[in-house]
């Protein structure tokens, strides 16, 4: 914005800002009732073993269908819901929906792998978090071994001791732990070794850049090697091309996820084994 505020410019700027704040308030208000109104749905994206091509898990991703606002970016929704506290109810909804969906697939013999659920910062901070996960397992009848939770690296590094103890408790139940968007935060490696982690998900920004940027490639390679030493699995997010896949495979990445295999989709359009086989054969 220019410093030389002539009358018109100032008015236009003010109105734009005002509209933005208003829109944000409207969305917050709308979000407050969204779970009970059934406006949230969950889509699923497969995470596939780089060598065997078996589906390891389906990641549950939230979608909001609100007639007044259409498609709103999910990270923005999560940010607003974190601010208002509604994320606790939304998070619980996703967890329960994902567990029920997984049980459904297993019952219908269409899929027997894991389901992976993202957990937000406030959810994970909540003192009731572990209890609420246990309760969802109980009411749905979901075996803990088929549930994976995804915590972002930044999120894990806040109140580290508390996070380690929560994760250990979940881990003892049999739940798998993945660290999402790995490489974007500033983890202290000494703390990191104390986390009971099963998987590091390499952030998609590195995968996107690695074919033309040596630094990004070096970061991917460092993460993969570090994980191997720690006996942790790696998943590369945001894989969009066969070239990226081949590069990742040669570096020893365990699993891949991305549009190259399948975009997230509704549960009734579960990505078929034949489709996945076809992608690798092409
Ligand atoms: P994330 O957990 O890292 O999920 C990956 C995001 O990348 C998803 O975006 C997914 O649709 C997208 N993606 C997958 N493959 C590709 C690809 O090949 N290329 C590109 N460019 N993108 C790809 P989405 O669904 O919009 O979710 C964005 C973020 O919002 C998620 O990042 C996660 O942090 C958050 N989120 C989504 N659902 C939930 C939820 O239920 N709870 C919480 N707390 N956060 C959620
Ligand atoms: Mg995730
Ligand atoms: Mg991610
Ligand atoms: Mg992300």
């Amino acid at each position: 914005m220019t410093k030389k505020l002539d009358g018109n410019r100032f008015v236009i700027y003010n109105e734009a800002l005002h509209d933005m704040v208003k829109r944000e308030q409207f969305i917050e208000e709308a979000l407050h009732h969204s779970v009970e109104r059934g406006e949230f749905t969950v889509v699923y994206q497969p995470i596939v073993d780089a060598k065997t091509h078996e589906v390891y898990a389906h990641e549950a991703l939230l979608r909001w269908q609100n007639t007044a606002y259409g498609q709103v970016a999910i990270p923005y929704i999560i940010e607003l819901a974190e601010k208002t506290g509604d994320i606790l109810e939304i998070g619980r909804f996703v967890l329960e929906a994902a567990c029920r969906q997984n049980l459904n697939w297993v019952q219908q013999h269409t899929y027997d792998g894991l389901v992976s659920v993202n957990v937000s910062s406030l959810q994970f901070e909540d003192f009731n978090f572990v209890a609420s996960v246990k309760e969802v397992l109980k009411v749905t009848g979901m075996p803990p071994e088929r549930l994976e939770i995804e915590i972002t690296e930044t999120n894990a590094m806040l109140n580290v001791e508390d996070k380690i103890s929560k994760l250990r408790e979940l881990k003892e139940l049999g739940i798998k732990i993945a660290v999402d968007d790995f490489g974007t935060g500033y983890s202290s490696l000494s703390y990191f070794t104390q986390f009971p982690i099963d998987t590091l998900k390499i952030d998609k920004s590195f995968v996107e850049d690695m074919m033309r940027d040596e630094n990004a490639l070096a970061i991917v390679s460092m993460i993969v090697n570090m994980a191997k030493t720690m006996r942790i699995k790696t998943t590369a997010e945001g894989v969009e091309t066969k070239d990226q896949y081949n590069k990742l495979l040669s570096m020893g990445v365990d699993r891949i996820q991305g549009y190259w295999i399948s975009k997230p989709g509704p549960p009734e359009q579960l990505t078929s084994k034949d489709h996945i086989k076809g992608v690798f054969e092409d």
Side-chain angles (χ1 to χ4, degrees), residues 89-270:
E89 191 189 357
I90 296 170
R92 158 107 192 194
F93 161 80
V94 178
L95 184 61
E96 200 168 322
C99 288
R100 291 194 195 285
Q101 188 56 60
N102 184 277
L103 288 164
N104 235 321
W105 282 326
V106 171
Q107 256 163 29
Q108 293 166 4
H109 304 286
T110 42
Y111 173 67
D112 61 6
L114 312 187
V115 73
S116 197
V117 179
N118 293 283
V119 171
S120 84
S121 162
L122 196 74
Q123 252 184 303
F124 195 28
E125 285 291 329
D126 184 23
F127 77 98
N128 222 1
F129 175 63
V130 174
S132 80
V133 172
K134 282 185 185 165
E135 202 195 307
V136 169
L137 293 176
K138 200 171 148 201
V139 299
T140 58
M142 173 77 165
E145 297 75 22
R146 282 217 309 274
L147 177 64
E148 176 176 74
I149 60 162
E150 297 190 9
I151 313 279
T152 64
E153 182 191 1
T154 321
N155 190 351
M157 285 300 147
L158 275 169
N159 300 321
V160 180
E161 298 301 334
D162 172 61
K163 299 302 167 57
I164 292 175
S165 87
K166 280 173 174 161
L167 290 180
R168 286 199 178 140
E169 217 180 316
L170 294 174
K171 182 79 191 164
E172 270 160 30
L173 292 173
I175 294 170
K176 309 275 188 306
I177 316 284
V179 177
D180 208 351
D181 302 346
F182 192 76
T184 57
Y186 300 91
S187 308
S188 147
L189 283 183
S190 59
Y191 271 132
F192 214 72
T193 54
Q194 298 176 47
F195 277 87
I197 296 163
D198 298 285
T199 301
L200 292 181
K201 298 190 76 175
I202 303 166
D203 191 70
K204 61 177 178 313
S205 60
F206 303 116
V207 175
E208 191 187 332
D209 294 347
M210 68 175 191
M211 302 305 276
R212 51 186 159 77
D213 175 356
E214 280 179 17
N215 294 321
L217 189 66
I219 289 170
V220 175
S221 159
M222 252 166 51
I223 296 174
V224 173
N225 291 324
M226 182 186 82
K228 285 208 188 308
T229 335
M230 292 169 74
R231 292 176 215 284
I232 293 173
K233 300 286 183 195
T234 46
T235 296
E237 305 180 323
V239 179
E240 294 185 356
T241 66
K242 183 157 201 172
D243 283 352
Q244 288 171 338
Y245 163 68
N246 284 330
K247 190 85 206 164
L248 291 161
L249 185 69
S250 76
M251 286 191 281
V253 164
D254 297 296
R255 302 178 198 125
I256 58 163
Q257 179 181 22
Y259 296 166
W260 182 57
I261 292 184
S262 178
K263 290 196 169 181
E268 55 288 355
Q269 283 168 34
L270 190 69

